[in-house]
Amino acid sequence: MKRALVGDIGGTNARFALWENNRMHSVQVFATADYTSPEQAIGAYLQAQGLSKGDLGAVCLAVAGPVSGDEFRFTNNHWRLSRQAFCKALQIERLLLINDFTAMALGMTRLQPDERRTVCAGEPETGRPAVVIGPGTGLGVGTLLGLEDGRWMALPGEGGHVDLPVGSAREAQIREQIASETGHVSAETVLSGGGLLRLYQAICALDGQPATLQSPAAITDAALAGEPLALAVIEQFCRFLGRVAGNNVLTLGGRGGVYIVGGIIPRFAELFLRSGFADSFAEKGCMSGYFKNVPVWLVTAEFSGLLGAGVALQQAG
């Protein structure tokens, strides 16, 4: 049987690996800005691995955005993909395209014990959905459900684009300040890399402070150094994430637990663990008791999306 390739393509980076005997190896990361198409990036990966077109039997790509039809247009980068043209260009027999958070959700089934940290203690209920949510270039939300035959179902969706929930007068002011610049304010408008900068600018405007920091990384670094305004921004970011995650648990009956993934939160993990996330997560009035014993984990595994793409290939047979 020919080896397969798995890929996890986000707005900023594309990660590729080989999948053989239901295991992943030879991971490499490519900047999407450096390549005109996924075919070109995969060609560079194959060359680096000493492989040629036609050496792959199948490819599974986890992609950011809704998947349907022959052509896929990536949500947060300039790439496009035609299934037919892709298979012809790389001489592959089968291409499986799945939503990136479908892959991320499936990747949770391969987590090792040392690849997650407890945010809220609890025990996942068997047979109940788990929520997978992660701020990165955008905000991804997925659902993981165990099936009776031991397989896993990941439900794709676009939950990052729900309206941003607010739980206080201050948060309402922040939302209105952002709305004056962007119009509609989705959860992703704030809970993403660009959203962190947007949140900082809104808080500066409300408090009459100069917005001197110019990037999400600069805000994170300032918070880690103890700068009060940056700390307040990170705290508010975590509280908004708690509200969105809690809403998903209520909507889905997600008592199987919540996995916090993505590239942003691990950069300030200790601040996150000490933040008001847990309070906002369960702050649901008469339904606050619903969250008792619902576990929340911060995932530290580096390539969960790639692993999930492999699981998708494995389950597809």
Side-chain angles (χ1 to χ4, degrees):
M1 180 179 177
K2 287 184 177 180
R3 60 176 63 85
L5 179 141
V6 292
D8 179 16
I9 302 173
T12 306
N13 293 311
R15 303 160 184 86
F16 301 117
L18 297 177
W19 185 264
E20 295 184 280
N21 301 316
N22 294 328
R23 293 187 179 277
M24 181 180 76
H25 64 89
S26 304
V27 177
Q28 282 189 264
V29 182
F30 296 79
T32 56
D34 293 343
Y35 299 89
T36 60
S37 67
E39 291 94 326
Q40 187 186 49
I42 291 172
Y45 174 79
L46 292 176
Q47 185 176 22
Q49 297 300 320
L51 298 174
S52 303
K53 296 176 182 177
D55 287 346
L56 300 174
V59 171
C60 179
L61 298 181
V63 294
V67 177
S68 63
D70 177 70
E71 184 169 304
F72 178 82
R73 183 174 297 182
F74 291 79
T75 303
N76 290 317
N77 68 44
H78 62 286
W79 286 358
R80 295 184 183 184
L81 183 150
S82 160
R83 295 174 190 259
Q84 186 175 358
F86 181 94
C87 292
K88 183 177 180 180
L90 293 176
Q91 299 174 29
I92 65 167
E93 300 160 13
R94 182 164 62 113
L95 169 63
L96 179 62
L97 283 185
I98 60 175
N99 176 267
D100 59 340
F101 259 73
T102 295
M104 186 65 76
L106 290 172
M108 298 303 97
T109 68
R110 291 290 191 98
L111 279 185
Q112 299 303 309
D114 62 348
E115 292 180 325
R116 68 185 189 186
R117 300 180 66 179
T118 298
V119 181
C120 300
E123 289 294 328
E125 288 189 16
T126 302
R128 299 301 291 273
V131 175
V132 185
I133 182 168
T137 304
L139 176 65
V141 181
T143 307
L144 180 67
L145 185 63
L147 304 178
E148 291 183 357
D149 62 0
R151 291 156 58 88
W152 296 90
M153 176 181 290
L155 305 178
E158 293 299 325
H161 295 279
V162 300
D163 295 341
L164 180 73
V166 298
S168 68
R170 170 69 167 180
E171 289 179 357
Q173 289 178 327
I174 291 170
R175 185 197 174 281
E176 287 307 305
Q177 177 64 36
I178 294 172
S180 70
E181 301 290 335
T182 66
H184 178 250
V185 183
S186 69
E188 182 177 277
T189 305
V190 170
L191 296 173
S192 57
L196 179 59
L197 181 59
R198 197 173 287 118
L199 178 61
Y200 166 75
Q201 292 167 340
I203 289 176
C204 286
L206 287 172
D207 293 348
Q209 299 290 327
T212 58
L213 303 176
Q214 300 298 316
S215 70
I219 297 165
T220 300
D221 290 344
L224 292 172
E227 198 280 313
L229 179 58
L231 281 169
V233 172
I234 294 295
E235 172 68 15
Q236 187 59 68
F237 188 94
C238 295
R239 285 185 173 272
F240 275 133
L241 181 59
R243 298 197 190 286
V244 175
N247 284 355
N248 275 278
V249 168
L250 288 179
T251 300
L252 297 165
R255 297 186 58 83
V258 177
Y259 297 88
I260 306 294
V261 299
I264 292 180
I265 300 298
R267 296 175 186 172
F268 49 85
E270 299 306 324
L271 294 178
F272 175 72
L273 293 171
R274 298 196 299 267
S275 76
F277 169 90
D279 291 338
S280 296
F281 174 65
E283 192 178 70
K284 301 298 182 189
C286 66
M287 290 303 295
S288 296
Y290 187 83
F291 293 83
K292 185 178 181 180
N293 213 37
V294 175
V296 180
W297 303 283
L298 173 60
V299 176
T300 57
E302 193 172 6
F303 299 116
S304 297
L306 277 177
L307 277 171
V311 172
L313 265 183
Q314 182 181 331
Q315 292 196 154

